[in-house]
Amino acid sequence: MSQPGAPRRYRMTVEQVDAMSVLRLSFLLSVAFGLAFIVAVGLMWGVLDGMHVFSKISEIVSDFDADQKLAVFLQYLHFSKFVSVAAIISVLNVILLTVMSTISALLYNVVVRLVGGISVVLIDE
């Protein structure tokens, strides 16, 4: 028996996870991470461009590449190309993270039926 004024403890088990709520939450979180990734790539490009890294790379490539075979590589050093690649990676991450987390929730529901859920002890203070 617990003492008066002592925090009450509740032992609960997570027996099922709603797949639709996991889908919605993982979609929103992965979109937020994708936008943060695009902004981070843009800021990184700005810092590297401010340090004249890309102009130095262009000078080095032009000094060693007389046939201009590497000129195709230099066109990817522009801001729009960097952000475009970051956006493509972000879209792929949104799709993959949403699908993987939803499948994980469904697998959790199947495993719970076999072995039981995750036990959690909650304290009411």
Side-chain angles (χ1 to χ4, degrees):
M1 180 170 228
S2 65
Q3 299 174 2
R8 293 182 288 183
R9 293 177 174 256
Y10 299 100
R11 184 174 174 89
M12 298 183 178
T13 303
V14 180
E15 291 184 358
Q16 184 178 4
V17 178
D18 185 29
M20 283 304 292
S21 64
V22 170
L23 178 102
R24 288 188 298 255
L25 183 65
S26 65
F27 176 74
L28 290 176
L29 286 175
S30 60
V31 166
F33 289 142
L35 290 174
F37 178 70
I38 292 171
V39 169
V41 166
L43 289 174
M44 174 102 52
W45 187 91
V47 167
L48 291 176
D49 189 49
M51 294 170 46
H52 305 291
V53 171
F54 301 125
S55 61
K56 296 289 184 186
I57 291 173
S58 297
E59 289 175 16
I60 291 170
V61 168
S62 64
D63 287 345
F64 289 111
D65 188 26
D67 299 335
Q68 297 295 323
K69 292 180 182 178
L70 295 177
V72 175
F73 169 74
L74 294 177
Q75 73 181 355
Y76 290 102
L77 297 180
H78 298 290
F79 179 75
S80 61
K81 295 285 186 174
F82 262 71
V83 173
S84 298
V85 170
I88 290 169
I89 291 171
S90 294
V91 168
L92 291 175
N93 269 340
V94 166
I95 294 168
L96 289 175
L97 286 174
T98 303
V99 169
M100 285 175 32
S101 61
T102 306
I103 290 173
S104 298
L106 294 171
L107 285 174
Y108 176 79
N109 289 337
V110 170
V111 170
V112 162
R113 290 183 186 155
L114 298 173
V115 296
I118 295 175
S119 294
V120 180
V121 176
L122 301 174
I123 299 176
D124 183 20
E125 294 184 315

